[in-house]
Structures are given as structure tokens and as C-alpha cells.
Amino acid sequence: MRRIAAKFAASLLLGSALIHPADAQAGPKPSSSQLPANDAAIEARVEALLAKMTAEEKAGQLSQFFYFAQIPAMAKGVDDQIAAGKAGSILFTTDPKLLNRAQKMAVEQTRLKIPLLVGFDVIHGLHTIFPVPLAMAASWDLKLVERSQAVAAQEARAVGIHWTFAPNVDVALDARWGRIVEGAGEDPYLGSAMAAAQVRGFQGSYIGAPSHIIAGPKHFAGYGAAMGGRDYDQSEISENQLHNLYLPPFKAAIDAGAGNIMAAYMALNGVPAAGNHRLLTDTLRTEWGFRGWVVSDAGGVDALRTHGIAKDGTEAAVKAISAGTNMEMVPPGQKAHMPSLAAAITEGKLTTAELDAMVRPVLAAKFRMGLFENPYVDEARAAKVLADPAHAVAARAAAERSAVLLRNEGDLLPLDRRKVRSLAVIGPLADSQRDMLGPWIFSMNNPSAESLLAGIRAKVGQGVTVSYSEGVRIPARVNPSPFDMMDGKRTKPEPIDEDAEIAKSVALARQSDAAILVLGEAQNMSGEKASRASFDLPGRQKELLDAVVATGKPVVVVLMSARPLTVQDSKAAAILDIWYPGSQGAAAAANLLFGDAVPGGKLPISWVRSAAQTPMTYARLPSHDPTDAAKRYQEGSNEPAWPFGFGLSYTSFAYSNLKVLTPKVAHGSPVNITVDVANSGPRSGDEVAQLYIHQKHGTSSRPVRQLKGFERVTLKPGEKRTLTFTLSPEDLRYWSDATRSWIEDSSDFEVWVGGDSTASLGGSFEVGER
């Protein structure tokens, strides 16, 4: 969903087994319709169709309309465009019956019978909701991420969706930015790995694979650097940061086969992304070899007028096409500008060859997805796919593996049901189903969830007394979320007396063996148009927390948010971050709290002490004064509360015997490193071993540490495993502003392996001339 569309959608929304792509090879031999299409055959079909098309029909393929099919008054205008052959794509309808109706208009009422591409924001699930993407990045589990997005794709394809506006691969150093929730955090290496895994999950092994959809990585490029962390603001990015930080996840997504790219809203260094030839043509197509199509974000082509680089809609369309934007996403109530391209050809502002080049990849995508052969979906089968119980199992595993244990003093967690016979569950998010799901979830898809309170009660049964108090209320946003009006299940709660509720919470804690406080941010405080200037717990949550801790009873804080919150000074013995965990988040969190699952997630962001520290990254340059790097502020340390890569377990791990097997290599050669990881604690658990490097000298100053490898492993008590990491030449090269090119220096390198970005077990190697 997009900002402009929200106000139009309120009335709309008020009214199979999981198969991993790698496992598919063991099944029956696929039919010809299930095999990847031959490129030459696709190109021939595209050229044959293109030769039959008028300029108006070609331009029509480059318009994508928001389609609120359940509201006849809103649907009629788009229906007319579809029937006239002036719509290439629609988005935001997920009802199979209504999508079949739209496809029928496209293939039976237009001259050339070209089907529609159907898009939707399948960010972290459609009906079965997985943890938000930032949480999935905290799993550091690429296979899990791929499987999760494969489930999302299966559900989406079953209802008639062909294309998702995901993954968001924006690197974000500033957690004030609300859309950090959609990405993988601050690191380009982790972000690249997550980008590729999501593309594979969405698309399968090829575009058009059964039960998969086209991936559309976004927002190209630099949106995560929005000034001040404010959504929609401009980005000013140096060449060093652009090449080394912000572009690598996009390149990884393209290399993984992504069929689509979404251009960003904002201006990058003064040039709006939808009209940025350097980004969309020079980098994306010429340098990287991208063969898919680029879609604007909602209203992104029209916004070229607002940005001030186009005087009218026709010039906006021509500039967008000339820069490399193939398709315009048209919000409700806004006029499409791509139809003006036909007249622009007549007026000499655009050539037929330029228009054809933009239409080809759109038509190719439709052929690859098999839409000309079968544009319709089986409505009965769709319901069965959405109800597949295997999807819930996958969602629960994802939620368990994404949680990060930040503190566990005295081994308070896991709670012992033999000793804890009474629990006080307290907090404004404790009994909220909707907040468990997180942002980018729409009620029309009937997502299911339980509150954490319900999950705890189901876990402990009759053997433990569970009492509940809301405690305090999270205050409403000063600037409302455009998504709130679109939530058909959102109701206005009755007011509460917070003083009385805090007193009740304290009393319940005193009479219980332990207290679980479920605190954080409401789900509408993250996502699009959800930037935040403070990381304090909203409302009176800190007061509630302090009052309950003051009882002296054991206190567990369960955090729900998608940014660091200022909780490090709390005296609570345990802090478990579950992010927004999705449909099975309640059961997963209960499993974690009582030891039926063991936390193994690691932070994909530096957990700053306050919003004043942002932007922040562990991978800073050494500067001229590295020894005092933690003393940049006069008031105290500017180190994060918890470092990038941090996460505790219910067991412990020891690293030893790090060996650099290739201590001296020539340029272009790999570096091989081994290390032993042992479970030195009392129970089985997962550890994410992380490898970091530092180039000591060279053409440009290099970060003090950079992640260049990781592996999540499960170890039994006393078990030791030798892990092998290989640093490729690509891992050692970087873009230098000194040479304006990619280089691999001759240099000494330091290397460390451990459980977070402060790992102390290290070694060294040297890269030199051949």
C-alpha cells in the first residue's frame, strides 16, 4: 500500500504443503508448462505480439492501477481502462473471484487479449503472517528466510497474485526511519544475503515456477538514508557509501534473478529515482545486466512534476521512460501519464524503439508467468492453500528463530513451570492480537493471530495461575498512520484509568511468582510514514516497568518493536525481543519463555542507547582518533547498548583454534579460515558464528570491522564443530573514491570470529601482488 491510496481504501477494508525449492527435485518429472521458458522462445513471442500493437496499446501496458474491485464506484474507472487495453497491471485486490473477473475483461474484451499482471505488497506473508523482515534478518538463517517467503508466494499465487513489491533491501543506519522494519538492518553483507534468499523464496528457481511469484526489490536506491530518518525526505549519499553500503543488496537481488525493481520515491543527490538515468540505466541495466522491468512507487512518475524536473504529465512520462522506468504505479484519483507516450512519439519527444524497449520486459514477464495460457486461478484451491497447516508450522519456526535474548541475569529464563506457579502478565501489548502481526498486514486477507497472553495461558494450562493487567495505554500518534483507516478490524478501545491500572499491575506482580511485561511500540508505529524521533517506551510504559520491578519479583520484559528502544537502564532481569512475530508469534514466544525453544537470534542492527545516537553503524571508519571512539559525546559512552550481531542463549558457546589456512595470498585468490565452536553450556542451542575483517592500509580508509561471513549452527551440550569460512576476492575489494573504481588493495588484514561484532578471537593474513 502507498500513502496516496490509503484514504481511498477505508470503505473497501471496513466492509498446500510447504515445499522448499531444493526439495522439489525429488518429485515427479515436471510437465512442459512447469519448466523454465526458453529465452529465445519468449523473445520471439514478445516480438510477434509487439509487432501487432499500436502505440496506444504499448503505452497501456506501462500503467498499473490500484484496483479496489469490491467498491463498484472505485472499480469502474479501472474496469474501463482494462477493457480498453490501457492497463498492464493492477494491484491491491486479493479476492480470487474478483481477480478472475478482471482477467476476463482483459483477455476477452481487448483486441489483443493481453492478461494483467497482478501485484500486491506481500511483505512478510499474505494470510499466514511471518515475523517482520527485520526480525527474519535477526534469524541469520537463509534457508528459513527462503522457506518463509516461499510460503508467502504460494499463498499469493493461489489467490491470483503474480508479483510482490518485496523484498525491501534498503540498508538503514538510522532506526528513526519507520521502514527499517521492512529491511535487514544496517549491514550490506547480511542485507545482501537476506535479499538473495528472499528473491529465491518468492520466485523459486526461475520466473514462472509453479506456486511462486515475481520478486520486486525496492526502493532503488538509497531510500534507507532518508535525511533525519524521516520517511519521504531526500537522501544525500556519497559515492563511497552508495557503492559500498546501499547498492550491494540490490546487486545481490539482481544476481539472484529478481524480475522487477521498484524505483524509490525520494531524490538521490537531487535526482528523483524514477527519473534517474544513472541508476536505472547505467547501473541497473548496463553495469549489472538487469533484464526485467522497473516500476515506480505509487505516483512516482507524477511526482517528477512535484520534484520540479518535469513541467507536466507528458514530460514526466517521457523523462521516466528515458531514464529507465518501465511502468507507472497510478494511485486512486490520479491520472495515468504513460498513455501520453503515444502522442509524444508523434511529437518527436520519444521514439518507437524507446517505447518498445520499455514494453518488452513487461510482456516477457507475462509470458514467463504463463498468463497467456492460463490467466485465471482455481478459486476452490485457493482456499485450501491458505488453510494449509504446514504454513502455520513454518511461521512458528520463523518466530522462534527470530527472537533475540538481550538480557538474562541469573538465568531467569527459561521460566521453570515447576517453580513458577503464578504469573502476572502485564502491559499494553500483552493482549493485542493485531500488534503481534506487525505492519503491512491487511484485514481483507484474514490473517490470524493470538495475543501473547493467550499464548502463555495455552502453554501453562491449568497448572499455573495467570493474571493480567493492561497497565497503561500506548498513546495515539500525533500524526496518524494512513494505514489505521484501512484496518477493518481496528476498534477504538474504552479508556482506562492508568493510575489504577499501574496499581493493579503492581499488586498482581506482588502476589505472583514472576511478572512478564509485554512492552514496546504498537505496530502502526513502524512501517511507511512511521518515522519516530524518540526511542523511549511510548506513554507511561517506563513508569509501569519501574513500578513492577520495584516489587522485587523476577521480571521478564518481552519487547515488541522494529527499532531499538531505550530499555537498557531497566532493572528487569530478562529482556526478550520478539519484534512483531506474526501469526504464530504467541505460541513461539511462549515456547521461548518456558524453554521449549531456545533463543538463537542475533541483532541485525546496533541497539543504540537513544535516538540521539543515530545514524549508527558498527562498521565505522577508524578516524584519526580511534582510541576515543566511544567518547564522542561529553555526557558518556556513545557505544550501543548491545552491539550488532549480539544475542544470548540459554546455553553458552566458546570459540577457539582460529586458523588462517592461507595467511598470504595473491590478488584474486580466496582466503580460507577455520575456527572451532563448542557448546560449553547445559543444553542444546543455536549459535551464529560471525566473521569480521579489517583492512589495515590501502587506497582508502576502511571500516574498523566488516561482516564477511556467518553460519548458524545447532550444537548439543559439549559438542564442538569446526567451521570453515572462505573470503572471496569480492569480499576483499571495495569501491574507492580515490580511484572512482572497484579495487583490491595489497594490504595486511585482521580477522575475527565470534558471537557478535565485538568478537575477540582473531588472526591475520596478507594480500599481495601475484
Side-chain angles (χ1 to χ4, degrees):
M1 195 59 248
R2 303 288 177 269
R3 71 191 196 281
I4 304 174
K7 61 183 179 181
F8 294 93
S11 56
L12 167 67
L13 295 172
L14 293 173
S16 77
L18 172 61
I19 300 176
H20 187 271
D23 299 331
Q25 304 303 319
K29 185 177 181 180
S31 67
S32 58
S33 63
Q34 295 174 312
L35 295 172
N38 178 275
D39 285 349
I42 291 293
E43 290 171 7
R45 295 183 72 182
V46 168
E47 293 306 317
L49 179 56
L50 203 57
K52 300 176 184 177
M53 298 174 72
T54 65
E56 289 77 11
E57 288 168 328
K58 294 172 184 176
Q61 288 298 303
L62 306 185
S63 293
Q64 179 186 50
F65 295 94
F66 278 85
Y67 187 53
F68 301 113
Q70 292 166 311
I71 305 176
M74 294 184 68
K76 186 180 184 309
V78 179
D79 286 343
D80 292 343
Q81 298 291 324
I82 294 171
K86 296 180 179 180
S89 177
I90 55 175
L91 75 154
F92 211 65
T93 291
T94 60
D95 185 324
K97 181 177 180 179
L98 295 175
L99 288 175
N100 279 342
R101 173 184 171 273
Q103 291 288 18
K104 187 173 183 178
M105 284 189 288
V107 300
E108 295 186 13
Q109 296 184 34
T110 63
R111 186 177 75 90
L112 295 175
K113 307 184 184 304
I114 302 175
L116 298 164
L117 270 174
V118 179
F120 193 76
D121 288 285
V122 187
I123 307 300
H124 55 112
L126 185 79
H127 169 70
T128 304
I129 308 305
F130 289 81
V132 291
L134 187 65
M136 296 290 278
S139 76
W140 296 61
D141 187 338
L142 301 181
K143 290 183 179 179
L144 176 81
V145 170
E146 185 175 335
R147 286 194 296 267
S148 299
Q149 296 297 34
V151 170
Q154 187 178 19
E155 293 186 353
R157 188 70 181 272
V159 303
I161 296 167
H162 313 124
W163 161 30
T164 176
F165 311 115
N168 183 327
V169 300
D170 294 318
V171 172
L173 308 186
D174 193 335
R176 292 176 297 181
W177 188 57
R179 303 197 74 168
I180 191 173
V181 66
E182 297 174 49
E186 73 183 63
D187 186 78
Y189 186 91
L190 179 61
S192 295
M194 289 293 162
Q198 290 187 78
V199 169
R200 292 193 300 267
F202 282 130
Q203 289 190 178
S205 56
Y206 59 92
I207 293 176
S211 297
H212 287 82
I213 58 179
I214 298 171
K218 62 186 182 186
H219 306 83
F220 197 62
Y223 195 22
M227 188 176 291
R230 297 180 296 268
D231 213 3
Y232 306 155
D233 269 10
Q234 70 199 60
S235 294
E236 300 292 331
I237 301 175
S238 70
E239 290 294 310
N240 171 51
Q241 282 196 316
L242 183 64
H243 289 283
N244 292 313
L245 184 63
Y246 292 102
L247 290 182
F250 284 99
K251 177 63 162 57
I254 299 305
D255 290 344
N260 171 255
I261 285 287
M262 179 182 283
Y265 277 130
M266 86 296 152
L268 174 62
N269 300 332
V271 183
N276 194 320
H277 187 278
R278 180 195 171 192
L279 279 179
L280 304 183
T281 298
D282 296 344
T283 298
L284 184 62
R285 291 186 171 89
T286 303
E287 184 180 343
W288 293 354
F290 177 64
R291 297 180 62 191
W293 82 102
V294 174
V295 66
S296 76
D297 209 333
V301 171
D302 182 72
L304 297 182
R305 300 186 303 122
T306 310
H307 280 294
I309 72 164
K311 64 182 179 182
D312 54 32
T314 297
E315 186 174 9
V318 171
K319 284 200 169 185
I321 285 289
S322 299
T325 297
N326 302 75
M327 183 178 285
E328 173 188 20
M329 186 185 289
V330 185
Q334 188 178 102
K335 179 183 178 182
H337 298 307
M338 290 303 189
S340 66
L341 294 174
I345 291 176
T346 302
E347 296 167 5
K349 299 176 181 177
L350 189 76
T351 68
T352 297
E354 289 174 321
L355 178 60
D356 288 353
M358 293 294 103
V359 178
R360 282 189 181 97
V362 175
L363 297 178
K366 296 182 178 185
F367 281 119
R368 291 185 187 282
M369 293 297 289
L371 300 184
F372 285 87
E373 290 74 26
N374 186 11
Y376 306 113
V377 294
D378 184 333
E379 296 169 25
R381 180 180 177 274
K384 294 179 181 178
V385 170
L386 297 183
D388 190 334
H391 296 182
V393 174
R396 185 177 303 185
E400 289 174 352
R401 294 174 72 81
S402 297
V404 179
L405 183 62
L406 296 173
R407 179 186 296 167
N408 195 23
E409 294 176 358
D411 293 330
L412 175 57
L413 291 178
L415 296 172
D416 189 339
R417 276 174 282 188
R418 296 169 300 179
K419 298 178 180 178
V420 177
R421 309 305 298 169
S422 57
L423 269 175
V425 180
I426 299 165
L429 297 174
D431 197 26
S432 172
Q433 295 175 318
R434 177 62 188 89
D435 288 298
M436 296 293 284
L437 297 174
W440 287 103
I441 301 304
F442 302 98
S443 58
M444 63 188 179
N445 299 319
N446 298 311
S448 61
E450 281 188 330
S451 71
L452 183 52
L453 175 63
I456 290 172
R457 284 176 168 161
K459 168 61 66 174
V460 300
Q462 300 299 316
V464 178
T465 300
V466 178
S467 55
Y468 163 69
S469 171
E470 184 178 1
V472 297
R473 183 73 48 79
I474 295 178
R477 293 173 37 157
V478 173
N479 298 313
S481 167
F483 295 90
D484 286 347
M485 71 179 74
M486 302 175 61
D487 194 337
K489 297 182 179 179
R490 185 179 178 88
T491 58
K492 186 175 182 178
E494 294 294 327
I496 63 170
D497 182 336
E498 291 192 342
D499 290 335
E501 277 293 310
I502 291 174
K504 176 184 175 182
S505 298
V506 169
L508 291 178
R510 283 200 177 109
Q511 69 188 36
S512 301
D513 293 330
I516 297 174
L517 271 71
V518 190
L519 308 175
E521 297 176 330
Q523 59 81 25
N524 67 355
M525 301 177 78
S526 290
E528 186 167 352
K529 211 170 184 180
S531 297
R532 190 165 180 240
S534 168
F535 294 166
D536 292 341
L537 287 167
R540 298 174 67 185
Q541 291 184 85
K542 179 62 164 55
E543 181 183 346
L544 172 68
L545 172 58
D546 290 344
V548 173
V549 169
T551 66
K553 290 301 180 76
V555 173
V556 177
V557 172
V558 177
L559 280 180
M560 290 171 56
S561 76
R563 56 168 59 90
L565 296 178
T566 305
V567 295
Q568 67 275 359
D569 295 330
S570 161
K571 302 303 181 183
I575 302 175
L576 178 68
D577 185 11
I578 63 171
W579 314 96
Y580 300 109
S583 292
Q584 289 292 312
N591 284 343
L592 290 160
L593 289 169
F594 290 96
D596 293 322
V598 177
K602 300 280 190 171
L603 292 176
I605 51 176
S606 299
W607 195 284
V608 295
R609 297 176 182 274
S610 73
Q613 284 185 282
T614 58
M616 163 73 80
T617 178
Y618 78 94
R620 58 177 175 78
L621 296 180
S623 80
H624 76 283
D625 185 20
T627 57
D628 283 338
K631 302 175 182 178
R632 303 298 194 219
Y633 298 129
Q634 60 177 311
E635 297 90 344
S637 173
N638 59 264
E639 289 292 324
W642 292 286
F644 175 85
F646 178 83
L648 300 173
S649 175
Y650 295 157
T651 189
S652 57
F653 300 93
Y655 290 81
S656 63
N657 199 29
L658 186 150
K659 295 181 180 178
V660 180
L661 304 181
T662 47
K664 186 172 183 178
V665 299
H667 290 169
S669 300
V671 178
N672 297 304
I673 297 146
T674 62
V675 66
D676 292 341
V677 184
N679 184 338
S680 54
R683 60 186 301 166
S684 294
D686 281 16
E687 172 68 337
V688 180
Q690 303 159 44
L691 181 145
Y692 296 86
I693 67 168
H694 169 56
Q695 179 178 316
K696 298 183 71 173
H697 50 83
T699 307
S700 296
S701 181
R702 304 301 298 136
V704 293
R705 293 203 177 191
Q706 289 182 286
L707 178 71
K708 291 297 180 179
F710 62 88
E711 184 175 351
R712 180 165 178 158
V713 294
T714 302
L715 298 174
K716 299 176 182 178
E719 182 181 2
K720 180 189 292 185
R721 189 175 305 175
T722 299
L723 305 182
T724 300
F725 295 96
T726 299
L727 291 168
S728 70
E730 288 72 26
D731 292 326
L732 303 179
R733 72 173 192 150
Y734 65 96
W735 196 93
S736 171
D737 204 51
T739 63
R740 312 287 290 178
S741 64
W742 290 94
I743 61 173
E744 182 182 3
D745 284 322
S746 297
S747 179
D748 296 320
F749 286 79
E750 297 172 291
V751 59
W752 302 268
V753 179
D756 62 49
S757 56
T758 67
S760 59
L761 180 64
S764 63
F765 60 91
E766 179 185 349
V767 175
E769 299 294 338
R770 294 184 184 278

